[in-house]
Each structure stands twice: as C-alpha cells, then as structure tokens.
C-alpha cells in the first residue's frame, strides 16, 4: 500500500509543474439518454459497468485460451531459464494483461510482493482499455498514459523491495471469523468518524447539484 501510494504521489508531484496553464475549455454537450437526470445517470452507469465487465470477461477468456495452449507455461519456462522466480514467471503475463487474474495466479504460484506492487501500479491492459472506454476523446496521448502507468508500476515495485525489510512479519489480509463479530469490532468509532468526514468532504467539494441536476449559482455570482 505504501509503495503504490508513494510512487503515485511522486509522479503526480513531478508532473504537477510541467503542464502549461490553459484557458478553460467549453464543455461538450453530453448526449442525453433521458430527460430525467436520474434515469440518464443510471443508464449511463449501467452501460459503463457492462463495458467494464465485458472487457474483464474477454481478457479472462483470452488468458484461459493461452493457458490451454501452453503459452503461459512456455513463457514461465523461458523466464525461469533466465533467472526468474517460478511464481513470478508464471504470473507475469497475467499481471500485464488483467490485474484480477494476475493477482489470483500470483497468489497461487507464490509470486513475490514487489511484483504485486508493480502490477497494481501498471494496472493491466484490461484496465487501460476500461479507462479509454470512459472517454469519447481521451484527453491525453495513450502512449504517454501507458508510459506513466509503467513508471508507476516500476517505482511501486522498487519501493516495495526497499520497504520489505522494515515489515518482516507477514499478516493475513483476510480471515474467517470463528465467532460472531461484536458491535465494537464490526463498527469501531474512529472508522465511523473517518468515513463520515470523507463523505462530508465529497459532499462539499464545490460541485453542488440539486436533486434535479441543476447547478446552483456560486455565492456573489447570481445568474
């Protein structure tokens, strides 16, 4: 978590001062699915969700096809002869293509934690296509986007490797509870307070809309 978060912050800070200030562009007219903002938002969300799920299913079928053909094992054998850990070699290709399948394969094969950090920073080609599908005109060069995703993954893997000696003890990420959770364990007060603050920040982020989708006029700038 630290390695992926810190590497993303580092890249963001490094690129923050390199962009040229541009005048605000006129907003493009968004295609209306319905006159009701609620119906339009639900239909748009459903369409986006369907596209994302379809990409995940497509890449899962593609990876299963490669596994049935023996391509994954051939790649793993090729990397093993060049000094790769067997688990890393077996899960590298799934990590590069679809992050969920990569994490599943890496957990079963025993891939190293820095490789997991690299994969989370890289995101996988499937996630890249999901991001592209959300924009009619992607506001950035796709090759630059992929380059920075790769840099994010590379920095995440390096930072994870550097931080590992400071966290030598392994802890379970999830567990099966043998007894019923108590109210104190299931909903600790500090977590509830933090969640409330985050929701409050999201509600007061400056993008105020009414229930019917009309934006309120800023203070001092009445329409």
């Amino acid at each position: 978590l630290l390695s992926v978060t810190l590497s993303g912050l580092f890249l963001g800070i490094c690129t923050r001062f390199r962009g040229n200030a541009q005048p605000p562009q006129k907003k493009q007219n968004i295609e209306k699915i319905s006159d009701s903002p609620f119906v339009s938002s639900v239909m748009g969300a459903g369409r986006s969700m369907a596209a994302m799920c379809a990409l995940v299913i497509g890449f899962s079928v593609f990876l299963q096809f490669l596994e049935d053909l023996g391509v994954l094992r051939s790649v793993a054998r090729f990397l093993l002869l060049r000094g790769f850990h067997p688990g890393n070699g077996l899960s590298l290709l799934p990590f590069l293509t679809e992050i969920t399948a990569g994490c599943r394969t890496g957990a079963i094969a025993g891939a190293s934690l820095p490789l997991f950090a690299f994969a989370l920073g890289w995101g996988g080609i499937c996630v890249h296509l999901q991001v592209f599908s959300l924009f009619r005109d992607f506001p950035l060069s796709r090759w630059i986007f992929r380059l920075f995703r790769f840099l994010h993954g590379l920095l995440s893997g390096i930072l994870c490797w550097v931080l590992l000696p400071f966290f030598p003890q392994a802890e379970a990420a999830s567990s099966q509870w043998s007894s019923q959770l108590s109210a104190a364990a299931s909903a600790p007060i500090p977590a509830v307070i933090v969640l409330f603050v985050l929701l409050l920040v999201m509600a007061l982020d400056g993008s105020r809309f009414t229930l019917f989708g009309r934006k309120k006029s800023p203070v001092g700038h009445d329409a």
Side-chain angles (χ1 to χ4, degrees):
L1 176 61
L2 284 175
S3 59
V4 175
T5 304
L6 291 178
S7 59
L9 288 174
F10 176 77
L11 288 175
I13 293 173
C14 289
T15 56
R16 169 63 181 85
F17 303 101
R18 294 187 60 86
N20 297 324
Q22 297 180 355
Q25 298 178 356
K26 185 179 179 180
K27 293 184 178 180
Q28 298 180 353
N29 294 328
I30 301 176
E31 180 183 358
K32 286 187 176 181
I33 302 176
S34 171
D35 292 334
S36 170
F38 177 75
V39 174
S40 296
S41 62
V42 172
M43 293 296 292
R47 186 166 55 186
S48 299
M49 186 182 301
M52 292 185 178
C53 292
L55 284 169
V56 172
I57 294 173
F59 272 87
S60 299
V61 172
F62 174 70
L63 287 173
Q64 186 63 46
F65 182 68
L66 293 181
E67 184 176 355
D68 292 341
L69 290 178
V71 175
L72 295 183
R73 294 191 177 277
S74 299
V75 172
R77 190 179 303 109
F78 174 81
L79 295 175
L80 179 63
L81 295 176
R82 279 146 184 83
F84 269 64
H85 183 272
N88 293 344
L90 189 61
S91 56
L92 180 59
L93 190 56
F95 270 138
L96 293 176
T97 53
E98 208 277 302
I99 185 65
T100 305
C103 288
R104 182 175 62 250
T105 304
I108 296 175
S112 62
L113 196 58
L115 184 60
F116 277 91
F118 166 80
L120 291 174
W122 163 251
I125 298 176
C126 180
V127 172
H128 299 178
L129 296 179
Q130 289 175 345
V131 173
F132 297 154
S133 68
L134 297 177
F135 296 88
R136 179 174 299 178
D137 296 320
F138 195 65
L140 182 70
S141 170
R142 298 189 178 188
W143 290 108
I144 293 179
F145 173 82
R146 293 189 180 98
L147 173 62
F148 273 87
R149 295 299 302 196
F150 177 77
L151 291 177
H152 189 188
L154 187 62
L155 289 176
S156 299
I158 294 175
L159 282 176
C160 183
W161 177 75
V162 171
L163 291 173
L164 273 179
F166 298 96
F167 301 91
Q169 184 176 356
E171 294 290 346
S174 62
S175 61
Q176 296 291 335
W177 294 86
S178 57
S179 59
Q180 186 176 2
L181 286 174
S182 63
S186 61
I189 299 301
V192 173
I193 295 175
V194 171
L195 180 60
F196 175 77
V197 172
L198 290 175
L199 292 174
L200 185 62
V201 170
M202 293 176 62
L204 301 178
D205 66 347
S207 302
R208 301 185 182 92
F209 290 86
T210 66
L211 180 62
F212 301 100
R214 296 179 181 179
K215 189 172 183 180
K216 295 181 180 180
S217 300
V219 177
H221 297 81
D222 294 334

